C-alpha cells in the first residue's frame, strides 16, 4: 500500500485482544462503518462521539445495532463489557483507556485538525476520514504522527485511498503513471449549486435524502466540485502526482475512453502533462449521460514502455488508445465506510497506513460562487458562497490563496467577483489561530522541500 510506514503495530490482536477503535462523527460515512464494524471479529468499537448523542443513537439504530450493544455507561465499562459508550465529548474518547485507533469523520477541517493533534499526543493511530482536514494540514500531521511512532492514514473505502492503492500497484509493477483519479457527476453549472438546489440536481427529494441521513451541505460539496478538488489534492499529496495548472477539467468520459482522454494533450488527450490527477464526469455539459461511465469508481491510466508490453495490453483485453501505448485499470465502485475496517485493522495490527500524505503538492483554493460583498461571512465547503478549486501548492502559496478549509466563518474585507479565487488578504484571519500557525509552518517547510 502506498506510503505504508514501518511503525509498530499492536501485534497479537485477536478475540482476547481486539483492536479498539473510537469514532468521532456519526454521519453517513460513520454510519456505514458502524454497520459493518459490529460484524468483524477482533474489532471493538469502544466509543462513538458526536455533538448530538441522539444523532449517534439514531445512526447506530440505522446501522442495525441492538440498543444493548451501545448501552455502556462509560469507557471503562465499555472496555470491560465489550460494549460501546456514546458521548458528546470527543476529547474524552481520544483519552479513553485502551483506545488503539481513532477514526476522525466529522468533515469539519478545523475540528478535525484539533482532534488529530490530540490523538497524536495520546499515541492513538489515526484514520483521517476527514479529507478536508487532511488537505488543509495533513502533510504536517502525518509528519508529527510518524515522529510519534504512530500511523496517520487516509480512509480505505473513500476514493483517495483506493486511488493511492491503484497508483501503488502501477508503480510496484513498473508502469509509468500517466493520470489517476475518479468518476463523479459534474456539469459546469454545478459550481454555483447551494444546499437549497442540491437535491434537484441529484434528482431526489429532500424527504428521501433526510431519511437516508444525507447532509445537504456535504452532498453539495460533491456536486459543486469542492469535494473532487479536495480528494484529488489528497491523492496528489500522498502520491506526488502534480495537479494541472488549471486544476480539474471534469471531461466527460466512459471507461472505454479513459486511455484516450486521460493522456497528454499533445497526443490527443485532455491532460496538460503526464503524472497528474483528473476527475471524469458521468454526464456531458448538457446533462446527457456518458455511456459506460465511472461515476462511483476510481482509475489509473498507465503507459506501456515497449512494443511487447503494449501487445500484451491488447492480448489481455485492456482498453487502449489508438497507439496501444496507454491503457487504464479501474475499479467501478467504492463502498465508502463499509470498507473502512481495512484502514483500522491495518493500522491497529500492522502499523501501516492505507495511503498518507508525504508532500505538499496540491492545495484547494476558496473560489466565489457568486458576487460577494464586503462584510459577508464565508460559510465554507458545500455552502452558499464558495467552492473549492484544485491548484498546485507552489502556486497557491506564492499567490497567497485562501485554502477552502479556512473559509469558515470569516469576513470579507472587500468585494469578490463570481468565479474569482479569494486571497488571504481579502479576509479577516485570526493570525493567533493555532491551526493557521500549523498551516503556515507546513507551507514553509513542505512546499520548500517539494
Amino acid at each position: 500500500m502506498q506510503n505504508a510506514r514501518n511503525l509498530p503495530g499492536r501485534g497479537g490482536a485477536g478475540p482476547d485482544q481486539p483492536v479498539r477503535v473510537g469514532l468521532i462523527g456519526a454521519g453517513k460515512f460513520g454510519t456505514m462503518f458502524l454497520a459493518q464494524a459490529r460484524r468483524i471479529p477482533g474489532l471493538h468499537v469502544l466509543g462513538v462521539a458526536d455533538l448530538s448523542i441522539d444523532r449517534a443513537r439514531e445512526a447506530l439504530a440505522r446501522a442495525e445495532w441492538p440498543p444493548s450493544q451501545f448501552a455502556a455507561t462509560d469507557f471503562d465499562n465499555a472496555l470491560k463489557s465489550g460494549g460501546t459508550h456514546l458521548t458528546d465529548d470527543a476529547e474524552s474518547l481520544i483519552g479513553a483507556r485502551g483506545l488503539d485507533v481513532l477514526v476522525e469523520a466529522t468533515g469539519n477541517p478545523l475540528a478535525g485538525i484539533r482532534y488529530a493533534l490530540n490523538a497524536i499526543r495520546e499515541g492513538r493511530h489515526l484514520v483521517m476520514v476527514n479529507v478536508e482536514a487532511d488537505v488543509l494540514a495533513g502533510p504536517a500531521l502525518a509528519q508529527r504522527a510518524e515522529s510519534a511512532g504512530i500511523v496517520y492514514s487516509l480512509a480505505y473505502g473513500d476514493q483517495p485511498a483506493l486511488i493511492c492503492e491503484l497508483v501503488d500497484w502501477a508503480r510496484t509493477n513498473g508502469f509509468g503513471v500517466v493520470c489517476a483519479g475518479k468518476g463523479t457527476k459534474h456539469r459546469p453549472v454545478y459550481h454555483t449549486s447551494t444546499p437549497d438546489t442540491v437535491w434537484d440536481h441529484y434528482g431526489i427529494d429532500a424527504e428521501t435524502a433526510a431519511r437516508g441521513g444525507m447532509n445537504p451541505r456535504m452532498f453539495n460539496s460533491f456536486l459543486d466540485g469542492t469535494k473532487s478538488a479536495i480528494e484529488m489534492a489528497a491523492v496528489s499529496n500522498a502520491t506526488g502526482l502534480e495537479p494541472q495548472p488549471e486544476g480539474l477539467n471534469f471531461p466527460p468520459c466512459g471507461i472505454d475512453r479513459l486511455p484516450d482522454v486521460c493522456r497528454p494533450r499533445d497526443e490527443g488527450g485532455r491532460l496538460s502533462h503526464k503524472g497528474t490527477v483528473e476527475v471524469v464526469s458521468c454526464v456531458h455539459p448538457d446533462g446527457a449521460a456518458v455511456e459506460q461511465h465511472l461515476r462511483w469508481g476510481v482509475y489509473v491510466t498507465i503507459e506501456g514502455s515497449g512494443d511487447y508490453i503494449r501487445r500484451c495490453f491488447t492480448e489481455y483485453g485492456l482498453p487502449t488508445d489508438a497507439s496501444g501505448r496507454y491503457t487504464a485499470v479501474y475499479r467501478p465502485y467504492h463502498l465508502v465506510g463499509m470498507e473502512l475496517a481495512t484502514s483500522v485493522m491495518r493500522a491497529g495490527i500492522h502499523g501501516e497506513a492505507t495511503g498518507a500524505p508525504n508532500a505538499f503538492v496540491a492545495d484547494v483554493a476558496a473560489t466565489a460562487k457568486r458576487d460577494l460583498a464586503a462584510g459577508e461571512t464565508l460559510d465554507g465547503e458545500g455552502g452558499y458562497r464558495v467552492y473549492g478549486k484544485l491548484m498546485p501548492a507552489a502556486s497557491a502559496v506564492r499567490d497567497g490563496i485562501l485554502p477552502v478549509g479556512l473559509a469558515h466563518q470569516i469576513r470579507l474585507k472587500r468585494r469578490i467577483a463570481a468565479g474569482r479565487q479569494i486571497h488571504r488578504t481579502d479576509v479577516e484571519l485570526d493570525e493567533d489561530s493555532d491551526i493557521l500557525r500549523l498551516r503556515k509552518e507546513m507551507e514553509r517547510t513542505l512546499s520548500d522541500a517539494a
Side-chain angles (χ1 to χ4, degrees):
M1 167 57 63
Q2 182 75 25
N3 297 317
R5 312 287 193 188
N6 293 319
L7 300 175
R10 294 180 64 257
D16 298 325
Q17 189 183 1
V19 174
R20 300 185 181 98
V21 60
L23 169 68
I24 304 179
K28 181 66 172 178
F29 198 111
T31 304
M32 295 177 80
F33 167 62
L34 293 168
Q36 288 298 108
R38 62 182 287 264
R39 310 173 195 277
I40 300 172
L43 178 62
H44 173 201
V45 180
L46 184 68
V48 177
D50 195 276
L51 292 174
S52 167
I53 292 180
D54 287 341
R55 183 167 57 216
R57 290 194 186 99
E58 291 169 4
L60 287 157
R62 192 178 295 121
E64 301 176 343
W65 281 46
S68 60
Q69 196 167 344
F70 52 93
T73 54
D74 54 41
F75 291 117
D76 284 340
N77 178 261
L79 189 63
K80 293 174 184 176
S81 67
T84 300
H85 177 56
L86 307 186
T87 181
D88 58 5
D89 181 2
E91 301 296 351
S92 69
L93 173 58
I94 294 170
R97 184 165 62 93
L99 184 69
D100 299 308
V101 181
L102 181 74
V103 174
E104 211 297 332
T106 64
N108 182 313
L110 306 184
I113 291 170
R114 292 193 175 97
Y115 293 145
L117 289 169
N118 288 342
I120 292 167
R121 281 192 286 267
E122 292 286 344
R124 315 303 190 194
H125 295 311
L126 180 63
V127 177
M128 186 59 89
V129 176
N130 188 340
V131 70
E132 294 82 1
D134 177 78
V135 169
L136 185 58
L141 294 172
Q143 276 194 346
R144 293 191 179 198
E146 186 171 20
S147 296
I150 58 176
V151 172
Y152 176 99
S153 179
L154 299 180
Y156 199 87
D158 219 359
Q159 287 167 305
L162 300 181
I163 296 167
C164 289
E165 183 176 54
L166 286 177
V167 171
D168 190 46
W169 165 85
R171 289 173 170 168
T172 299
N173 288 286
F175 295 112
V177 175
V178 178
C179 185
K182 66 168 195 168
T184 194
K185 181 181 181 182
H186 184 83
R187 299 173 62 194
V189 295
Y190 291 169
H191 282 314
T192 59
S193 177
T194 73
D196 294 335
T197 63
V198 61
W199 302 132
D200 291 337
H201 287 310
Y202 274 115
I204 60 178
D205 63 84
E207 183 180 342
T208 299
R211 197 161 51 241
M214 299 161 70
N215 183 318
R217 288 183 68 98
M218 183 188 74
F219 276 80
N220 193 50
S221 76
F222 281 98
L223 195 74
D224 69 15
T226 304
K227 185 69 79 171
S228 289
I230 288 172
E231 291 186 335
M232 292 305 98
V235 171
S236 291
N237 291 337
T239 63
L241 297 173
E242 296 186 3
Q244 300 171 86
E246 69 274 21
L248 298 173
N249 295 299
F250 299 97
C253 181
I255 56 176
D256 58 326
R257 298 198 64 243
L258 285 169
D260 295 286
V261 172
C262 296
R263 60 177 174 166
R265 291 182 191 129
D266 59 10
E267 298 182 53
R270 295 287 298 273
L271 307 178
S272 65
H273 63 272
K274 295 179 184 178
T276 189
V277 293
E278 184 59 278
V279 174
V280 296
S281 179
C282 70
V283 294
H284 294 280
D286 64 0
V290 169
E291 293 185 6
Q292 295 184 286
H293 65 75
L294 193 66
R295 179 176 180 179
W296 311 111
V298 296
Y299 75 91
V300 61
T301 54
I302 58 177
E303 183 177 4
S305 57
D307 291 339
Y308 178 76
I309 293 173
R310 295 169 194 169
R311 187 162 64 249
C312 288
F313 287 166
T314 301
E315 290 172 351
Y316 284 85
L318 277 75
T320 67
D321 69 329
S323 73
R325 182 176 183 175
Y326 299 108
T327 189
V329 174
Y330 61 90
R331 174 177 168 171
Y333 304 107
H334 67 296
L335 296 180
V336 200
M338 292 186 285
E339 298 181 82
L340 184 63
T342 301
S343 294
V344 171
M345 301 302 265
R346 193 166 290 182
I349 296 174
H350 301 295
E352 293 179 357
T354 52
N358 56 24
F360 182 38
V361 179
D363 203 1
V364 181
T367 307
K369 285 188 173 181
R370 56 169 172 79
D371 289 342
L372 301 175
E376 284 197 68
T377 299
L378 301 183
D379 57 351
E381 178 191 357
Y384 294 85
R385 295 176 176 86
V386 298
Y387 72 94
K389 182 177 175 61
L390 180 68
M391 65 185 305
S395 300
V397 173
R398 180 195 66 218
D399 297 341
I401 295 298
L402 179 71
V404 74
L406 291 179
H408 293 252
Q409 299 305 307
I410 56 175
R411 285 168 54 87
L412 283 170
K413 295 179 181 178
R414 57 184 62 89
R415 178 184 178 277
I416 306 294
R420 186 196 146 190
Q421 293 174 348
I422 301 171
H423 295 70
R424 295 185 194 186
T425 54
D426 296 326
V427 297
E428 299 173 357
L429 282 173
D430 178 7
E431 297 295 337
D432 294 326
S433 162
D434 54 348
I435 291 176
L436 183 57
R437 286 197 296 269
L438 177 66
R439 167 71 188 204
K440 288 181 176 180
E441 173 191 323
M442 183 183 81
E443 291 175 351
R444 285 192 303 269
T445 59
L446 292 175
S447 62
D448 287 347

